[in-house]
Amino acid sequence: MKGIVFTEFLDMVEERFGYEVVDQIISESKLSTDGIYTSVGTYPHSEIVKLLMNLSDKVKIDPKTLLKEFGKYLFDVFLKSYPHFFSSVDGAFAFLHSIDKHIHIEVLKLYPDATLPKFISYESDNGDLIMTYKSERKMSALAEGLIEKSIKHYNEKCTVKVENIIEDGSVVKFTIKKIS
Amino acid sequence: MDIELLKRKLKREKISRKQAEKILEDKALELYHTNEALKKLNESLEEKITQRISELQESETKYRNVIEQATDIIYSTNADGYITFVNARGVEAFGYTEKELLGRYFIDFVLDKYKEDVKAFAGQLISNVVFIEYSEFPIVDKNGNIHWLGQNVNRVEKPNGEYYFIAVARDITLRKSAEKKLETARLALEQSEVKYRSVLENMDLGLMEVDTKGVIVRVYEGFSKMTGYSKEELIGKDAIKTLIVKGYEDILIKQDSNRLNGELGVYEVQIKRKDNTRIWVLISGAPFYDNQGVVIGSLGIHYDISDIKNLEFNLEIAREKAVESQKAEQKFLANMSHEIRTPLNGIIGMAHLLMDSGLDEKQQEYVKILSDSSVILKGLVADILDISKLDSGMAEISESVFHLGELANSLINSFKLRANEEGVELICLFNCDLDCFVKSDKQWLNQILINLLGNAIKFTNEGRIELNIKRVKEHDDGYTYSFEVIDTGVGIEPEELGVIFSAFKQANTKVRKDYGGTGLGLSIASRLIALLGGELEVDSSLGKGSRFFFSLRFKTSSKELSKNTIINEINIEARKDMKLLIVEDNYMNQRYISSLLDKWQIEYDLAENGRVAVEKYKQNHYNLIFMDLSMPIMDGYEATLIIRGFCKEKIPIVALTASNLLSKKELALKSGMTDFLAKPFVPEDLFLMLTKHLDTEFVKSAFNDDAFTYNNKLDFESLKNIYGNDYSHALDMFTTFIDVVDGEILNLKTFIKEESRANVKRVAHKIKPIFSMVGLGHISKICEKIEQSAKSMSFLDINKYYEELMIKLNLSKPLIVSEIYKLKKFIKGVVR
């Protein structure tokens, strides 16, 4: 898991729940890294899961919701840090298409060791955008938050339908339908 | 307050961390791009390398093919000289397989003698002195043949600093052998050039070149020296005008024009030197050519032959003198002979006549002594002349055909009286057939035997003397006869044997005192035998006797028969229409000849010199002239020339001279004389001349009275025509006929049996004349028929003719045999 996920997650926790919570979940999670992360590093996936679960326990919010909120938060971070990814496309669908086709390729240039989820996207005959999330990390909620926030960013109105293709959540289908 | 401070500090830390992260990310991206670029570069490099490799492979294949198919030998070795590659041509040249060659040390193949040289070359390459080197050396192939290689060796550096060699070699064996030949030829040329140059220099030859107009264009040192002119003085001058002595220009002009036609020439001319002295030169001229083969001048090699010319001149003078002195000597000898013989002849002749003039006993005895003495004197003179002739090599052989038996008989007869007087028995054992006709010098052989027999009689007081003549060997053209004179005389002391054949040497002075004589007899005999091709030898035992012996090879001839032996027995009748002219100034000789002619009843006139002879010749008709040579007023030569001048018919003129010299004979014949009779002569000699030069009727009539008569069953008329009086010839032919006829007839029979027409014709033609030769003309005609019929008629008919021939021949053979017997008897009778 890329370091940016850890650093931005902890920033979001600090922002929303205060550094005390950050300190607590790090302490409780008994992390091999002692909770010290840098965005350019790579750390075990299990640690974000522990942090997420401990946060959920602490603030009594379900992890899925937290993850979705983190997705929304992360979109803003990305928008701030990598504005050219967003300015180079003129709409939500184009942007969403570009994740797999462009952004992930760029990410891999920077971090060749990164394990990125697969987003297979295509437009159906009725104009819906069908995106299939595929990742053993089963963090489709984070993707959902990112998708919703990106639609909002481009001032578009869409419904997002989420269905598990595989029950454990490793393959999830998003159907994004524009609302005219 | 503290917390606020810490929060700000934390915020700054966080921002700085984010900046650091951002920088890292930027760097990571930069790194990525760099990596990508590198990757791309790498990829294109790989592509290029792949492309290059494939190009290289292609080119290698191409070059490998070129190398493999190259007509040159291409091989490579490692730095140590071990072969690592060799192309097909190399394999072929070395004669080994590629497998056998690879890994071999290259120097091993080099011919031993050249190994060090080749190593030295390799050394230069190894030691970096040169990078490429050409050398030629021979190698030995697997079969032991030697090939010359001319090779370029290239040192090739590898990137790692190692190196190897690539050699490109060509088999230059042919070129080398051609070079060797060329070199040998060049050396030979060089040697011969050196040789000839030194020869030319040593010979003092003068070389000079003229152009086609005869203008001198080049002069060599030797020629300057020879002529005394400097080169500058001669070049540009006309060679003929400048150098040639007047009178020789034509030779030069002729030679120059020959030269233009490319002909060589060697000639002698006189040239004048600068100081006007003249020298004789031998010039060898040769044309020389330009590139197109056009004659542009000639080269003359001059050799000063003045000395040789002088020598030639002196030699010519010396030769003339020698010839003169030889002539003088011959003249002296001739005069001597004439001076002594002429009066002697007179004495002998007169004594001869005196004997017949009715003398009383006392007078007869005196005349006999006179005659004997003069004969002895004549013998002595003859001996001395003979020995001097033999010594001076002037003795000549004059061959004639004579019968050995007759010679022996007449010798024995003439010595018999003397032998009887001495009380010695004289016998002749003649172991030859009657057909012992030989061709030789009868006079010399006669003299040899006279000398030997005379010698034997002289030294034998009792017992006997034998003359043995045997035919000992047969040759293609005659026989070798051995002659022996054996006596029972005093013999010769062994130590004297070596000198008895020397002139004027007798066994010792005592012999001379006891036996007299000049001591020339044996010497003359020995030399004459040598002259005739034999050698006189002697066996002797003191007190018991001596044997002198020799053998001579004679040609046999049955064609001619010397007739003089028969003359004495024949009575000659005078011929009314015959008259001779005797030209002789010496009275005694006149009398001698005239008395003989009177005896033979032949008419004659006498003339005492040439002028009288010419006058008489004009007024009378003569059949023959005997002409003395040395006479007053007009000699025999002149008289002969005059007579020949107005003589229409060719009258025989026989020279009479006391000289036996060939030069006299030649002169006589040159002046127009027909023959030659040497004085002194015996009556037989004179008669022989008559028979020889007078017409055949006379001779025939002289013999006809006693002619042999052939059996009338033979064609006797034709036989007379064929043989005339030559009965020996007839005998010879008859004998030959009997010898050969059976063989020839057998041949004929065989060929008829074989039905070989060509051979039947040939043999019949061949034997046809032999029947005519023995008077069997009718058998000749049968042969003729066989010859004619052989062409086309059946062999049955030919056989009929053959049967006829056999019957006739068998009838005739006994006739021929009896004729042979008769002829033998007749000839014997005549000889006796």
Side-chain angles (χ1 to χ4, degrees), chain B residues 465-574:
Chain B
I465 293 165
E466 268 176 41
L467 169 63
N468 295 334
I469 301 177
K470 280 183 215 161
R471 190 187 272 176
V472 290
K473 201 172 172 192
E474 188 171 349
H475 307 286
D476 290 344
D477 58 348
Y479 300 96
T480 296
Y481 290 88
S482 76
F483 298 82
E484 277 181 313
V485 175
I486 304 171
D487 66 50
T488 54
V490 294
I492 304 160
E493 284 181 44
E495 55 267 33
E496 304 288 347
L497 280 173
V499 298
I500 56 167
F501 298 148
S502 308
F504 304 106
K505 288 267 170 81
Q506 277 173 324
N508 52 51
T509 41
K510 192 179 175 295
V511 171
R512 183 182 298 248
K513 226 182 199 169
D514 292 354
Y515 300 97
T518 55
L520 286 171
L522 288 178
S523 172
I524 290 170
S526 157
R527 286 168 209 215
L528 284 175
I529 289 165
L531 190 67
L532 296 180
E535 189 189 356
L536 178 58
E537 292 175 87
V538 60
D539 289 337
S540 186
S541 143
L542 197 62
K544 287 185 179 166
S546 308
R547 178 172 82 103
F548 289 87
F549 58 100
F550 60 96
S551 45
L552 293 174
R553 180 174 168 176
F554 298 130
K555 286 182 184 166
T556 41
S557 169
S558 55
K559 297 257 161 83
E560 285 180 61
L561 173 58
S562 168
K563 296 169 182 93
N564 56 350
T565 50
I566 311 171
I567 297 163
N568 280 339
E569 314 297 327
I570 297 165
N571 288 318
I572 298 161
E573 285 180 7

Side-chain angles (χ1 to χ4, degrees), chain B residues 8 134 161 196 318 363 369 442 457 476 667 754 788:
Chain B
R8 284 198 301 277
Y134 180 77
Y196 286 115
Q363 285 169 321
I369 293 166
K442 185 187 175 188
I457 288 174
D476 290 344
L667 201 57
E754 288 173 3
Q788 297 293 331

Side-chain angles (χ1 to χ4, degrees), chain B residues 42-80:
Chain B
N42 197 28
E43 275 169 5
S44 88
L45 263 176
E46 265 177 28
E47 199 176 307
K48 269 188 186 158
I49 285 167
T50 311
Q51 190 187 343
R52 287 299 299 274
I53 285 171
S54 106
E55 277 172 16
L56 271 173
Q57 278 171 345
E58 200 178 313
S59 135
E60 198 194 327
T61 310
K62 203 161 78 189
Y63 285 122
R64 185 165 284 270
N65 282 338
V66 170
I67 285 170
E68 280 303 324
Q69 286 159 18
T71 52
D72 282 346
I73 300 157
I74 301 173
Y75 65 92
S76 63
T77 72
N78 63 15
D80 297 326

Side-chain angles (χ1 to χ4, degrees), chain B residues 585-654:
Chain B
D585 64 322
N586 184 296
Y587 176 69
M588 297 238 202
N589 284 337
Q590 277 185 10
R591 288 300 311 272
Y592 178 52
I593 296 169
S594 52
S595 66
L596 284 173
L597 293 177
D598 285 343
K599 198 172 158 189
W600 295 333
Q601 298 170 350
I602 294 171
E603 269 190 64
Y604 59 89
D605 281 340
L606 282 169
E608 64 270 25
N609 62 49
R611 189 188 288 167
V612 178
V614 172
E615 279 162 16
K616 288 205 178 231
Y617 177 80
K618 281 182 193 168
Q619 291 155 11
N620 300 284
H621 174 83
Y622 300 107
N623 298 81
L624 190 142
I625 301 171
F626 285 108
M627 179 81 77
D628 189 20
L629 293 176
S630 316
M631 289 177 294
I633 305 173
M634 184 188 285
D635 65 19
Y637 305 112
E638 200 181 341
T640 303
L641 283 169
I642 294 168
I643 290 168
R644 287 282 179 238
F646 50 74
C647 169
K648 286 196 182 81
E649 45 187 326
K650 184 93 179 167
I651 179 165
I653 302 176
V654 177

